[in-house]
């Protein structure tokens, strides 16, 4: 948790200790800054005369420390002018590769730049959409009382003011330009969905399912030995996943057990399939674990101490990553096509869809801390999956 200057006082008043305070410390003052240091909270000091507001500097600090998504709380402070700076701060975060949102008692606000984002809420929630940086074209609103399809929005027009969600979810898309989306909730929705996870961490997710290794599988230009090297590590991983799934089943609710047991049986069968392929293609399966594989194994082991919903979310995320990644390279180069077909079967897709349904239900029943742990598990899986592809290349991240 990062605080921008005086935001550190708000955090402490709420019982939250910041991991870092960023800014010129004029709002905290000398006494407040000393208090933070006495509490062991690091300060990133900036001069009073600077080119960026403290909140902007905090966003940059978060990105430098590996963040992929941000919620901005108490973001306007006591300055009216900060309200007008916030849309630009959201756009700056988006252009850094961060999915950011202002979160307040009335709801959320975020920007969409040449893409789309889901709006998760309840029927009747108010949603307003405005062009932020000049004309926006190809604007589409799906799931709203007043839908749009490839519309044009000009600055100085109020076409996008106060629409309404028709169901639990809508989608805002723009082909060119930037939109500011303001979601006014009828009540605070203490829920989380799988689509919201994918949307909030879109950059991390994209990095998990797109990689030069996958491009090489698609195009047939992988370096010699790269595919076999990766395949052996995947075999080792599936053996670890078998243990993880067995432990997850042991603490799962009855309603989830049928799906999880079928997945466990499929993982065991997958090990046999790997062994058949190794025999057919004459490559050994007894290679040492790559450091990235060790990190993934340790993560799966650690999930045993996390809430059940975090383990289930991780399982769904890693299986969906696998499915989407291999679908993205289909049909694959001739030498790799049988493998791509094996990992994109309708049966596997149905299993992933059922895991998603179970994860949705578990997230819906989870409390705030459990949802937070589940989100952290999702982000960890995205990072570990990205690094997993690297094992195909000697000298990759380790």
């Amino acid at each position: 948790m990062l605080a921008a200057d005086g935001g550190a006082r708000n955090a402490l008043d709420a019982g939250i200790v910041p991991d870092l305070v960023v800014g010129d410390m004029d709002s905290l003052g000398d006494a407040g800054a000393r208090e933070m240091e006495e509490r062991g909270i690091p300060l990133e000091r900036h001069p009073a005369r600077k080119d960026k507001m403290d909140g902007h500097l905090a966003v940059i600090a978060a990105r430098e420390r590996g963040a992929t998504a941000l919620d901005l709380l108490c973001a306007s402070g006591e300055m009216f002018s900060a309200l007008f700076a916030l849309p630009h701060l959201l756009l700056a975060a988006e252009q850094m590769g961060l999915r950011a949102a202002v979160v307040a008692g009335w709801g959320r606000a975020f920007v969409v730049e040449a893409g789309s984002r889901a709006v998760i809420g309840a029927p009747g929630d108010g949603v307003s959409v405005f062009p932020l940086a000049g004309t926006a074209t190809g604007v589409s609103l799906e799931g709203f009382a007043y839908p749009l399809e490839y519309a044009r929005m000009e600055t100085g027009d109020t076409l996008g003011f106060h629409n309404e969600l028709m169901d639990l979810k809508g989608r805002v898309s723009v082909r060119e330009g930037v939109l500011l989306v303001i979601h006014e909730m009828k009540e605070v929705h203490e829920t989380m969905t799988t689509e919201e996870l994918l949307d909030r961490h879109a950059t991390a997710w994209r990095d998990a399912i797109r990689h030069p290794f996958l491009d090489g599988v698609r195009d047939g230009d992988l370096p010699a030995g790269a595919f076999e090297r990766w395949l052996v590590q995947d075999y080792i991983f599936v053996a670890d996943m078998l243990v993880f799934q067995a432990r997850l089943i042991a603490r799962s609710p009855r309603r989830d057990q049928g799906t999880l047991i079928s997945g466990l049986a499929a993982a065991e069968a997958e090990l046999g399939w790997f062994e058949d392929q190794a025999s057919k293609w004459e490559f050994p399966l007894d290679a040492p674990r790559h450091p990235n594989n060790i990190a993934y194994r340790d993560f799966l082991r650690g999930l045993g101490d996390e809430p059940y919903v975090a383990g289930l979310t991780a399982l769904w995320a890693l299986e969906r990553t696998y499915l989407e990644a291999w679908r993205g390279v289909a049909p694959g180069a001739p030498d790799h096509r049988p493998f791509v077909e094996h990992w994109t079967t309708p049966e596997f897709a149905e299993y992933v869809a059922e895991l998603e349904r179970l994860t949705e239900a578990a997230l819906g029943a989870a409390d705030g801390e459990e949802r937070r742990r589940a989100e952290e598990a999702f982000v960890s899986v995205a990072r570990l999956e990205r690094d997993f592809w690297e094992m195909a290349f000697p000298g990759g991240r380790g």
Side-chain angles (χ1 to χ4, degrees):
M1 189 275 186
L2 273 66
D5 199 347
R9 176 58 57 198
N10 292 332
L12 290 174
D13 289 345
I16 301 169
V17 179
D19 298 300
L20 176 69
V21 182
V22 180
D24 55 22
M25 311 303 159
D26 63 339
S27 298
L28 272 180
D30 292 340
R34 281 197 302 273
E35 179 188 351
M36 298 299 149
E37 292 176 324
E38 289 169 358
R39 287 173 172 263
I41 302 170
L43 305 181
E44 182 180 297
R45 292 179 179 269
H46 292 266
R49 295 177 63 85
K50 55 187 185 298
D51 295 333
K52 291 179 173 59
M53 62 191 294
D54 290 336
H56 196 159
L57 295 171
V59 169
I60 293 172
R63 187 70 186 95
E64 289 174 345
R65 287 158 176 79
T68 59
L70 286 177
D71 284 339
L72 306 179
L73 311 176
C74 306
S76 60
E78 298 178 354
M79 298 181 66
F80 184 66
S81 56
L83 290 173
F84 296 89
L86 284 178
H88 301 280
L89 182 56
L90 289 170
L91 179 57
E94 188 79 14
Q95 292 174 340
M96 290 181 222
L98 283 164
R99 281 296 174 101
V102 170
V103 180
W106 48 262
R108 299 169 65 87
F110 56 87
V111 300
V112 183
E113 182 180 22
S116 71
R117 284 184 70 170
V119 180
I120 310 295
D125 280 3
V127 179
S128 296
V129 180
F130 304 105
L132 181 58
T135 301
T137 60
V139 177
S140 297
L141 304 179
E142 305 170 58
F144 295 92
Y146 306 99
L148 288 177
E149 186 173 359
Y150 299 113
R152 181 184 182 91
M153 284 189 166
E154 304 278 359
T155 52
D157 192 4
T158 57
L159 171 65
F161 175 70
H162 196 69
N163 212 322
E164 289 188 357
L165 273 177
M166 294 296 289
D167 206 332
L168 299 177
K169 180 175 65 179
R171 181 161 290 279
V172 177
S173 306
V174 58
R175 186 169 52 198
E176 293 184 7
V178 182
L179 297 176
L180 172 65
V181 181
I182 301 172
H183 177 194
E184 297 174 275
M185 300 177 179
K186 293 198 303 183
E187 58 184 46
V188 177
H189 312 300
E190 295 293 339
T191 60
M192 179 181 288
T193 67
T194 54
E195 180 161 0
E196 191 172 5
L197 287 172
L198 293 166
D199 187 68
R200 282 172 55 81
H201 304 286
T203 300
W205 183 254
R206 182 181 63 245
D207 291 345
I209 62 174
R210 299 178 186 172
H211 191 273
F213 169 74
L214 294 165
D215 294 341
V217 171
R218 181 193 61 221
D219 300 335
D221 56 2
L222 281 176
F227 189 76
E228 291 78 6
R229 192 159 41 243
W230 177 87
L231 201 64
V232 171
Q233 293 299 320
D234 200 32
Y235 171 78
I236 296 170
F237 171 76
V238 172
D240 292 334
M241 193 174 73
L242 198 72
V243 176
F244 159 65
Q245 288 179 268
R247 291 173 175 167
L248 190 66
I249 291 168
R251 58 195 181 106
S252 65
R254 179 70 185 92
R255 67 176 183 272
D256 294 359
Q257 288 172 354
T259 299
L260 296 180
I261 290 170
S262 71
L264 183 67
E268 192 283 327
E270 186 77 355
L271 288 175
W273 179 83
F274 272 110
E275 289 155 4
D276 290 342
Q277 298 305 310
S279 176
K280 178 180 178 181
W281 296 98
E282 298 182 346
F283 57 85
L285 290 173
D286 57 353
R289 291 177 186 272
H290 190 282
N292 292 358
N293 217 343
I294 293 172
Y296 216 149
R297 179 200 61 192
D298 292 346
F299 166 73
L300 292 178
R301 288 178 176 175
L303 287 171
D305 297 323
E306 296 291 334
Y308 169 73
V309 65
L312 182 62
T313 300
L315 178 61
W316 159 72
L318 69 87
E319 296 286 34
R320 176 155 174 171
T321 303
Y322 213 70
L323 179 63
E324 284 199 27
W326 292 113
R327 276 179 168 174
V329 304
D335 286 349
H336 304 128
R337 192 162 300 166
F339 297 89
V340 176
E341 291 173 350
H342 177 75
W343 292 320
T344 56
T345 63
E347 292 79 13
F348 182 44
E350 289 172 10
Y351 168 63
V352 174
E354 182 61 17
L355 280 179
E356 184 163 323
R357 187 188 68 78
L358 298 182
T359 304
E360 289 276 358
L363 288 169
D367 62 29
E369 177 61 17
E370 289 171 336
R371 289 193 300 272
R372 185 180 72 81
R373 303 301 291 174
E375 184 168 12
E376 289 178 355
F378 176 87
V379 173
S380 294
V381 167
R383 173 180 54 80
L384 290 162
E385 289 288 338
R386 177 202 66 199
D387 291 350
F388 204 90
W389 307 118
E390 288 285 334
M391 294 188 294
F393 305 110
R397 285 189 297 269

